[in-house]
Amino acid sequence: MSYYKEKIIGLQVPNWKGKHFIPISSLHLLLQDQVQQIIEGAVQNGGIPVYQKEEAIQAVVRGGYRILGILILMEKVPMLTKFVGADGLIDKSLDSGLPYTENELEHILGDNYREFFDHQWSFSAPIFERSLLHRNLHKRTVLPFTTMTPIGDGGFANVFRVTVPGSHQRIEGRNVTTIQVVRKELKPSPTLNQDFDNEHHIISLLRIIKHPNIVLFHSAFTIDGVPSLLFEPAECNLKDFLRQDHFAVTPGQGMLDAFFGLSSGLREIHNYNFKDGNLRFIGCHYDLHPGNVLVKDGNFILSDFGISRLKHEAQGSRSEFKAATGVCEFDRERATKSIFGTLKTLHDNGEPNEKVKKWLRRLQDHGPANEAVDGLIDLVRDMLAIQQCDRPEILEVSERLFHIAERMRYARISKAFVSLFLHSDTAMRIERDRIEIWADEVGLDNTRRREERLAWFLTLRLDVLFERIHALLQGIEENILDLPETQKQKAYSSEYYTVRKNVDELWQLLSAETVGRMTRRLETLILGYEDTQEPHIDLKDLASYPRPQLLLGIKQALSALEEHQSQTSENLIRQSLLKDRREWNNKLLIRTEVPSQETSFAIVEFLRYDDHWLDRSDKLILRISNLISLWTTMNLQDSFPVLQCRWFCHFPERQAYGLVLPIPHALVPGDDLQVTTLAEMIKSTAKRLKRPNLDEIFMLAFNLATTLASFHKAHWLHKGISADNVLFFPKGMDALGKSVSSARLVGFSDGRESAEGAFTVGPSEDELLKLYRHPEYRRDAGNVRYREEFDYYSLGMLLLELGRWKLIRTMVKQDQLETLSAEALRGRLLEKEVSQLGSLMGVLYQNAVTSCLEGPHMGEGEQKKWQVWNKFETEVIQPLSRCKAICPGSGFLFGRWTSGNRSDRS
C-alpha cells in the first residue's frame, strides 16, 4: 500500500498560492487498472469481507477514485465499505459527496473522521464548466489555478488571467492540457452581495442569447466570502489596443467590422429579447469606455457589467454622458481644466467640447479622402448630441456602421468584378449583375435614403445577419481575387461555383417578395445583353437560371427566324390525326393520335391567313414551324401557366393553320374533358359564395402580369389578352370556383415577335377582343405598330374584370358599347368601375389596374424597352405581389404552381 501512497503524493500539483491539489485525471490514470488488486489486498488482510469485494470494486469504478485515494493516504482502505453503507441506497457515486462536513464524516467514520476531513481538500479541487448556477465553495477548497496573473485593478474588482488544468474544466473539452480564463474577483464593500447578484444576473441573461460581441461568461463561485466570476479571455482591451503603434487613423475593413459588432452587442443590451423564455428588457451598460471593451481575434467585445442594469421594457432607459478615453493624442487635445482638475471629456459644462469638434473637423478636412471616415465622423457627431432625443438609437447606429463597413467591402468586390469582366464569359457577368441587384436592394449602392435602408434592417437579426453577410461577401471577394489568370475565361471553375453559391445565399436572406422582384430585374438585364455590343450568349451559361435561359432562348430564336431556313416541317401534322373534334369558342376540342406520341386531349387555335400573307406563305409556315419547335424544346408550360403549341395543321377549308395545344394529363386525369374560360366562369359564379377565394384571384392576377412581362422580355407580344383566352379545367362544372389553380393562358395565335422588322397584319376582327384593345391601336391600327403597352392595357381590362368579377361587356349597356369610342369607354370604366376597386380589392390592386389602363403614354421608340418593362414592374407587378399571399408551399411561386394550403392573407 505504501507504493500507491507514494505515487499519490507524487501527483500533487501546487496552485498559485502554494496549496496542493491532485488532478483528477492523474489520479484516475494511476488507479483505474489497480482497483481490483487494491481491494483484494484489503480482503486478504481481513479488512473487507470477501462477499463485499465485488460491491466495493464497483463502487470505486462507478465514481469513487477520490475516496479510495484519500483512504490510501490514510492507509485505511477497508473503510471504503463504510462510505458504501452510508449511500442511502441512492444511485450516486461516492465522490459526489465530496467535500464532506465534519458531522457527516463523524457519522460515517467515527473517531477517524478528522484525518479524512484534512486529506479530502487536495482531492476536491473543483471542475469548472459553463454553468449559470452560482456555487458556494468551502473556505478550505483548493482552487486548481496553477497561475493567476493580475491584469486589471478597478474600483469594484480585481481581474486576473488564470491557468486551469485540462482535467479540471469542461469549458473547452478534455483533450487540452490547460486553458486560460479570466477571473474577476469582487472587492469587499457594503453592497458586495448585491453588486455580485446584479452582475451575475445580467451576464447570465446575456449568455443565453449567445452574442459574439458580449463577453462569454463561464461560471460563478464564492469562496471564503469573496465572489468571483470566470470569463473567456481576450488579447487586450480597446484602450490598450488604440495605443499600439500599428493603429492607424484611417479605419480598415477589420476595424469597421469590429465597431459594427460592438454596436450589435450593445443593441442586445438596450433591447434584450429572449424568445424561448418570453423575456423582454431594456438596459444600459452605464460604464462603456475603451477599458471595458475587449479585443479578441479582431472583434470588439463588451465586458464589465458591474453597474449595468436590465429593466422591464415598460420602465424605460435613460442615461447621461460619462467621461471617456481615446487615443493618446486625442486625450491631450480634448483635455479641459475644471475645479476637479484636468478632465478629458467629450462635453464641457453641458455643451459640446469645442476641442472635440475641432478634432473631428481636422480629421474630415485634412485626412485622406475616405467615404468610411466621413461616415464615421458624421455618426460620431450625431451620437454626441447634447439632447437625448437628438441622438440616434442603437439600432440606427448599428445600421449605419453596417452600411459603412459592408459598403467598403462591396466597393472592393465591384472593383474586382470590373477587372474580371474583361476576361470572363456570360456566367460570371450574371453573378456580377446578381450581386449588384442585391446590393441595390439592401442599400449598399449608397443611393437609398437612410430610412429605407433601416426599414429593411429592422426585419433581420443583426448579429446573425452581419456574420452571414460578412462571411459571404468575404468569400466572394477572396474567390474573385484568387482566380488565376488561366481560369478567368472558365466560368465553371471551383471559384465560380463558390461565388455563385455565396450570391445565392445573399439573395436568400431577403423575403420571397423581394427575391421575386430581384429575379425579374435580373431577367431584364440578361435579356438586355444582346441589345448591346456584347458577344452572343451561349444558353448553357444560363443553365442555373431556367427562366432567364428560357426567355433568352425565345428571344434568340425569334431574332433568327428571318435568317433561318428550315428544310422540314416536322411539326406539321395531318388533320386525320385529330380525332373527336368538337367546336368550342372559335376553337376545336380534340383528341390527338400522333404516331409515337401519347394520346391526349388538345385545343386547336386558328391562325387565319388572308391577303396580307400573299406571297408570304413560306414565311408564315417558317414562323409557325420554328416557333412550335422552340416551345416544344424548351417546355414552356413547366415555367409559365400557358398551354404550349406542339404541332400545327393546315385547315384549307377555314383558310387557316391550326395550332395544336395538348392539355397536360394532370389537368384532365380522366376521359371527360372539362374546360371553361374566365368569361364563362365569371358569368356562372355571379353569386359570391360560388366565386374563387380572394387570395386565388390575387394569385391569378399576379401570375398573369408576371407571365406577360416575361414574354415581353423575350421580345414576344401576345396581342390577344382577354377573359376568353384564360382557360380553366374544373373537375366538374359545379366546382368552377375551385379550379383557379388550373388556369392556363392561350391566344398566342395572333402574337408576334416585337422586333422592328417583324411582319405584322394588324388586329384581328374578333369583336370580343376589341373591348380589350388600347384606344390608340383601335383608332389608328393601320399606322401604329403594336407594342408592349397595348398588351398592358388589355391586361388592365382583364384585371378590372377579375377585381369587379364582372365582364367589361356587362359593365356598360350594349347600346353604349356599340356607340362609345374606345377612349370614352376607358374614361367611363376608370370613373365608374375602377374607382370601386379600392374598397373591393385594396388600393394597391386599384393602382395597378389604373396604371395599366392609363398607360405610360409613350410613342414608339421614345423610350427603350427595358424602361417600359421597369415601369410595368414598378407600377403593376410589385403592387400585385403585395396584394396576394406568395409563400413557399402555397399557390403560384415565381412562375410555377405549387401545392399547399391556401393562405387567408389578402
Side-chain angles (χ1 to χ4, degrees):
M1 192 62 61
S2 60
Y3 168 80
Y4 293 110
K5 181 176 180 179
E6 290 177 5
K7 286 288 186 180
I8 291 174
I9 292 173
L11 296 178
Q12 294 181 345
V13 174
N15 70 1
W16 89 102
K17 280 187 173 182
K19 294 184 178 181
H20 290 81
F21 68 95
I22 297 176
I24 182 60
S25 59
S26 301
L27 182 65
H28 187 273
L29 187 63
L30 172 67
L31 298 179
Q32 62 181 349
D33 295 329
Q34 309 300 326
V35 174
Q36 184 167 344
Q37 181 181 342
I38 294 172
I39 299 301
E40 285 179 349
V43 172
Q44 291 172 3
N45 294 329
I48 297 178
V50 66
Y51 53 81
Q52 293 181 352
K53 182 182 75 169
E54 288 302 322
E55 282 190 67
I57 292 173
Q58 290 304 312
V60 175
V61 170
R62 288 197 300 264
Y65 288 100
R66 292 177 175 180
I67 296 291
L68 179 59
I70 296 169
L71 294 176
I72 289 173
L73 286 185
M74 295 171 59
E75 299 184 354
K76 293 175 181 169
V77 172
M79 287 186 176
L80 179 69
T81 58
K82 293 182 179 291
F83 285 95
V84 177
D87 66 6
L89 293 176
I90 297 175
D91 187 18
K92 65 177 183 177
S93 67
L94 298 184
D95 288 348
S96 65
L98 291 171
Y100 287 94
T101 65
E102 292 183 89
N103 289 335
E104 289 172 333
L105 290 173
E106 186 175 13
H107 175 72
I108 297 171
L109 301 177
D111 294 340
N112 295 296
Y113 81 90
R114 188 68 203 184
E115 184 180 6
F116 188 100
F117 181 79
D118 291 335
H119 277 302
Q120 72 175 338
W121 301 111
S122 61
F123 290 83
S124 304
I127 298 177
F128 292 99
E129 59 185 359
R130 289 176 179 167
S131 172
L132 298 179
L133 293 175
H134 170 235
R135 303 306 206 277
N136 276 300
L137 304 181
H138 193 281
K139 65 180 180 179
R140 292 190 60 178
T141 297
V142 180
L143 294 177
F145 300 157
T146 55
T147 65
M148 195 165 81
T149 306
I151 57 175
D153 182 6
F156 300 96
N158 296 315
V159 183
F160 307 89
R161 183 180 290 271
V162 171
T163 303
V164 183
S167 62
H168 280 268
Q169 60 82 34
R170 293 178 186 149
I171 295 171
E172 295 185 10
R174 301 185 180 184
N175 296 325
V176 296
T177 305
T178 61
I179 69 164
Q180 298 279 312
V181 296
V182 169
R183 179 187 183 185
K184 179 178 180 179
E185 184 181 76
L186 273 66
K187 293 181 177 180
S189 72
T191 60
L192 174 64
N193 292 331
Q194 181 180 348
D195 294 340
F196 170 74
D197 290 343
N198 175 71
E199 184 166 6
H200 180 228
H201 172 68
I202 289 175
I203 60 179
S204 297
L205 284 172
L206 293 174
R207 198 183 85 172
I208 60 177
I209 61 175
K210 300 177 182 178
H211 196 286
N213 295 95
I214 295 177
V215 65
L216 181 59
F217 164 60
H218 292 322
S219 61
F221 64 91
T222 295
I223 182 169
D224 200 17
V226 179
S228 290
L229 302 162
L230 297 185
F231 297 96
E232 188 86 0
E235 297 153 14
C236 62
N237 61 35
L238 185 58
K239 178 180 179 180
D240 295 334
F241 177 79
L242 294 178
R243 285 165 170 77
Q244 294 175 7
D245 294 338
H246 64 76
F247 177 70
V249 174
T250 302
Q253 186 70 59
M255 181 72 73
L256 292 173
D257 293 344
F259 273 119
F260 172 80
L262 183 66
S263 71
S264 177
L266 194 59
R267 173 179 173 268
E268 290 291 348
I269 298 173
H270 285 198
N271 303 278
Y272 182 91
N273 182 11
F274 180 56
K275 294 181 180 178
D276 291 346
N278 194 26
L279 295 175
R280 291 185 64 88
F281 299 98
I282 55 176
C284 190
H285 189 283
Y286 283 110
D287 197 23
L288 185 59
H289 59 80
N292 283 339
V293 176
L294 305 179
V295 180
K296 182 178 182 181
D297 299 329
N299 296 312
F300 294 164
I301 300 171
L302 286 168
S303 70
D304 199 345
F305 297 90
I307 62 173
S308 303
R309 293 294 183 270
L310 286 175
K311 297 181 284 188
H312 282 283
E313 202 170 19
Q315 292 180 262
S317 175
R318 302 282 178 176
S319 64
E320 300 301 324
F321 278 101
K322 298 177 65 68
T325 59
V327 294
C328 300
E329 185 179 355
F330 185 43
D331 281 350
R332 293 191 296 270
E333 286 285 336
R334 63 196 174 105
T336 302
K337 292 184 178 181
S338 71
I339 58 174
F340 303 105
T342 301
L343 301 177
K344 300 171 182 177
T345 62
L346 299 172
H347 295 80
D348 184 13
N349 296 320
E351 296 294 333
N353 190 328
E354 287 298 325
K355 295 180 179 180
V356 173
K357 293 168 64 176
K358 180 180 177 181
W359 175 272
L360 293 176
R361 283 194 301 270
R362 190 172 70 184
L363 279 179
Q364 198 160 31
D365 295 341
H366 302 292
N370 188 295
E371 180 182 326
V373 171
D374 291 342
L376 287 174
I377 291 174
D378 289 342
L379 177 59
V380 169
R381 286 192 178 115
D382 291 345
M383 294 176 69
L384 292 179
I386 295 295
Q387 297 299 322
Q388 190 272 343
C389 59
D390 295 332
R391 300 195 296 270
E393 294 188 0
I394 189 59
L395 178 59
E396 182 180 341
V397 173
S398 286
E399 185 274 334
R400 290 168 68 175
L401 284 171
F402 168 85
H403 185 259
I404 294 169
E406 296 313 316
R407 176 156 173 77
M408 174 180 281
R409 180 175 283 111
Y410 170 68
R412 290 201 307 275
I413 291 174
S414 295
K415 186 177 180 180
F417 261 122
V418 169
S419 173
L420 182 62
F421 180 69
L422 300 175
H423 305 276
S424 62
D425 51 18
T426 306
M428 191 61 86
R429 290 203 297 273
I430 290 173
E431 298 313 318
R432 175 204 63 182
D433 289 338
R434 292 177 71 215
I435 197 170
E436 286 181 354
I437 291 171
W438 174 84
D440 176 64
E441 195 66 40
V442 302
L444 290 187
D445 63 344
N446 210 30
T447 59
R448 290 190 171 201
R449 292 181 297 114
R450 182 183 302 164
E451 295 79 4
E452 292 174 335
R453 296 199 307 269
L454 187 60
W456 170 77
F457 211 61
L458 279 166
T459 64
L460 297 148
R461 172 80 183 272
L462 294 189
D463 53 339
V464 175
L465 167 73
F466 172 69
E467 291 299 328
R468 213 51 227 127
I469 289 181
H470 170 81
L472 293 171
L473 290 179
Q474 190 175 52
I476 292 170
E477 181 183 15
E478 290 172 355
N479 277 275
I480 294 175
L481 294 177
D482 294 343
L483 196 63
E485 287 291 332
T486 56
Q487 293 187 6
K488 284 187 175 180
Q489 295 181 359
K490 298 179 181 179
Y492 301 103
S493 62
S494 60
E495 289 82 2
Y496 161 73
Y497 282 114
T498 300
V499 169
R500 195 185 79 190
K501 176 178 175 293
N502 286 12
V503 176
D504 282 344
E505 193 166 342
L506 287 173
W507 277 46
Q508 291 164 10
L509 291 173
L510 306 179
S511 68
E513 178 183 338
T514 302
V515 171
R517 181 169 61 249
M518 292 162 63
T519 301
R520 295 189 290 274
R521 288 181 60 188
L522 178 64
E523 290 175 1
T524 301
L525 285 174
I526 292 175
L527 293 169
Y529 285 167
E530 294 201 338
D531 293 332
T532 68
Q533 299 301 314
E534 298 188 24
H536 182 80
I537 300 171
D538 190 338
L539 288 180
K540 70 179 179 63
D541 290 341
L542 298 178
S544 303
Y545 311 102
R547 279 177 62 90
Q549 182 190 51
L550 176 62
L551 295 172
L552 190 58
I554 295 172
K555 176 185 171 184
Q556 289 181 355
L558 293 175
S559 299
L561 277 178
E562 300 300 328
E563 301 174 7
H564 178 66
Q565 296 298 317
S566 177
Q567 299 301 317
T568 61
S569 295
E570 297 177 356
N571 305 110
L572 180 61
I573 62 174
R574 302 185 308 275
Q575 279 199 46
S576 59
L577 300 178
L578 310 181
K579 307 295 185 179
D580 303 332
R581 302 184 196 180
R582 177 159 52 103
E583 296 282 346
W584 179 76
N585 278 27
N586 296 321
K587 300 175 178 66
L588 282 181
L589 301 181
I590 61 152
R591 187 189 297 270
T592 63
E593 292 186 359
V594 180
S596 74
Q597 300 292 329
E598 187 177 2
T599 300
S600 67
F601 287 109
I603 293 174
V604 178
E605 291 188 322
F606 293 105
L607 174 55
R608 292 175 173 82
Y609 52 86
D610 50 24
D611 293 344
H612 294 97
W613 287 102
L614 288 176
D615 300 324
R616 293 186 175 91
S617 57
D618 291 343
K619 185 172 290 189
L620 175 60
I621 294 175
L622 182 64
R623 173 183 290 186
I624 298 172
S625 180
N626 281 283
L627 184 59
I628 293 173
S629 296
L630 173 71
W631 281 32
T632 302
T633 301
M634 308 204 75
N635 206 14
L636 284 178
Q637 65 188 17
D638 282 352
S639 297
F640 300 101
V642 298
L643 286 184
Q644 70 179 58
C645 186
R646 185 74 178 275
W647 305 284
F648 70 107
C649 179
H650 192 203
F651 288 81
E653 70 277 11
R654 295 176 183 256
Q655 198 174 349
Y657 283 95
L659 306 183
V660 183
L661 287 63
I663 302 170
H665 287 284
L667 297 180
V668 189
D671 293 329
D672 183 19
L673 173 59
Q674 300 283 347
V675 59
T676 188
T677 66
L678 176 59
E680 292 171 345
M681 179 185 287
I682 289 176
K683 287 188 291 185
S684 301
T685 58
K687 293 183 179 180
R688 185 171 294 277
L689 292 178
K690 293 184 178 181
R691 298 178 188 175
N693 293 336
L694 183 59
D695 60 339
E696 291 184 312
I697 296 176
F698 281 140
M699 211 177 296
L700 177 60
F702 174 79
N703 188 20
L704 291 170
T706 54
T707 299
L708 179 62
S710 295
F711 276 91
H712 281 178
K713 291 173 185 178
H715 289 206
W716 181 264
L717 303 173
H718 189 282
K719 297 183 66 176
I721 295 175
S722 72
D724 293 285
N725 279 330
V726 178
L727 306 187
F728 302 91
F729 300 87
K731 294 181 179 180
M733 300 311 290
D734 57 343
L736 289 178
K738 298 180 181 180
S739 63
V740 174
S741 62
S742 68
R744 293 295 185 271
L745 181 64
V746 295
F748 286 90
S749 58
D750 290 325
R752 65 165 174 84
E753 59 270 33
S754 59
E756 289 293 327
F759 179 69
T760 180
V761 297
S764 71
E765 297 302 319
D766 190 328
E767 290 295 328
L768 295 178
L769 280 179
K770 286 184 178 180
L771 295 177
Y772 296 86
R773 291 200 187 110
H774 193 282
E776 182 182 352
Y777 192 59
R778 284 183 64 179
R779 182 178 64 248
D780 200 12
N783 299 313
V784 176
R785 288 180 63 85
Y786 199 90
R787 56 184 188 267
E788 280 87 345
E789 52 266 39
F790 294 169
D791 266 348
Y792 299 153
Y793 179 87
S794 301
L795 177 69
M797 299 290 270
L798 183 58
L799 296 182
L800 174 59
E801 291 178 319
L802 283 173
R804 297 284 288 113
W805 207 246
K806 291 168 59 178
L807 296 175
I808 299 295
R809 46 188 179 266
T810 64
M811 295 181 192
V812 182
K813 294 180 180 179
Q814 185 62 36
D815 58 342
Q816 295 176 338
L817 276 178
E818 296 173 356
T819 58
L820 283 175
S821 68
E823 192 62 62
L825 174 63
R826 172 166 62 177
R828 182 182 180 89
L829 293 176
L830 285 168
E831 179 184 359
K832 300 293 186 181
E833 302 294 335
V834 177
S835 60
Q836 299 185 54
L837 285 177
S839 60
L840 295 172
M841 306 293 285
V843 174
L844 289 173
Y845 191 96
Q846 182 184 38
N847 290 343
V849 174
T850 302
S851 178
C852 287
L853 296 183
E854 292 185 342
H857 299 295
M858 296 180 299
E860 275 190 277
E862 291 183 11
Q863 282 192 299
K864 294 181 179 180
K865 291 184 183 298
W866 66 265
Q867 292 175 306
V868 180
W869 301 341
N870 286 344
K871 190 174 182 67
F872 184 68
E873 162 76 25
T874 302
E875 297 184 1
V876 180
I877 293 179
Q878 289 185 22
L880 288 178
S881 73
R882 294 194 293 273
C883 288
K884 61 195 291 266
I886 306 177
C887 58
S890 175
F892 187 81
L893 181 63
F894 303 131
R896 186 183 297 274
W897 288 102
T898 61
S899 60
N901 296 327
R902 299 172 180 173
S903 171
D904 290 334
R905 175 186 163 202
S906 60

